[in-house]
Amino acid sequence: ILMFIFLINFPLVFSLHGSLMHINFDKVLKYVYYLSIFTTLFIIFTNPSVFSISNMIEERVSGSVAFSTISFGHFCSTISLLAINNFIYRDKNKLQLLTSFLIFLFGMFCMIKSGSRGPIFSMIFIGTFVYLIKSKNIVSFFKKIILVSISIFLLINLFLIVLKNISPYLEQR
């Protein structure tokens, strides 16, 4: 066991520690953003059945597929999160802001259209978590969360009508 720790793990740890200083994380973020957009568009054009209700049911019964509705939904949630990040922190001129906002809307639409609930819940969880971290007053944070929860509970029928127009499969679930 000691040989495993010293001969295999320590060189990896030291190598990773040394390379972290040389990684350009802004460039990595841009690559992930553009590759996610490209992958999502590739999935839409090569596998348009990710929006088909019968294929959604068939995929869930048969098992995992590389370009399934779940993975498609996760790509779209990644696009939406990165677009919001670019919108808030990176973009400066109006064209970049508009592009980031449109990519966010595209990602949200495709995520809802995919019919997978996991990416939607992860977006809600990440948004709540980020808002909690940025919030200065915890009491006001919980008051706002309770207010949003009550409004969603009261307006659930309106949400389901809008959801039915975008993704009938998700509305049935």
Side-chain angles (χ1 to χ4, degrees):
I1 293 175
L2 290 176
M3 185 182 292
F4 176 76
I5 292 172
F6 289 114
L7 295 179
I8 295 176
N9 289 337
F10 275 144
L12 293 174
V13 169
F14 289 127
S15 172
L16 182 63
H17 176 68
S19 66
L20 280 177
M21 292 179 256
H22 302 292
I23 295 174
N24 186 354
F25 288 104
D26 291 333
K27 191 179 284 189
V28 171
L29 183 67
K30 287 180 186 178
Y31 284 144
V32 169
Y33 183 56
Y34 294 130
L35 284 174
S36 296
I37 292 170
F38 175 75
T39 304
T40 303
L41 292 174
F42 179 76
I43 292 171
I44 289 172
F45 288 124
T46 60
N47 190 10
S49 63
V50 291
F51 295 135
S52 172
I53 294 175
S54 62
N55 285 353
M56 288 180 197
I57 296 169
E58 199 173 298
E59 284 176 3
R60 292 188 184 273
V61 172
S62 67
S64 178
V65 179
F67 294 138
S68 68
T69 57
I70 297 171
S71 62
F72 180 68
H74 282 291
F75 274 117
C76 293
S77 68
T78 301
I79 288 171
S80 297
L81 288 171
L82 291 175
I84 285 294
N85 182 46
N86 285 344
F87 186 82
I88 294 173
Y89 297 112
R90 296 184 177 275
D91 294 340
K92 302 297 179 215
N93 64 23
K94 292 184 189 263
L95 182 63
Q96 288 176 333
L97 290 172
L98 179 66
T99 305
S100 291
F101 184 70
L102 291 176
I103 289 172
F104 169 74
L105 290 178
F106 170 74
M108 291 298 291
F109 174 77
C110 289
M111 182 179 60
I112 293 170
K113 186 77 172 160
S114 72
S116 181
R117 294 174 292 187
I120 296 171
F121 287 130
S122 68
M123 285 283 292
I124 292 170
F125 178 76
I126 289 170
T128 306
F129 187 73
V130 168
Y131 186 69
L132 175 65
I133 289 173
K134 299 275 184 189
S135 179
K136 302 289 182 195
N137 189 354
I138 300 297
V139 175
S140 69
F141 167 76
F142 282 113
K143 285 180 183 177
K144 289 175 185 175
I145 292 295
I146 290 171
L147 184 66
V148 168
S149 300
I150 290 171
S151 63
I152 288 174
F153 178 74
L154 293 175
L155 299 172
I156 192 72
N157 290 331
L158 178 66
F159 288 136
L160 289 177
I161 290 170
V162 170
L163 197 61
K164 183 179 181 181
N165 293 332
I166 297 173
S167 176
Y169 180 70
L170 189 60
E171 187 262 341
Q172 288 175 2
R173 296 175 82 201

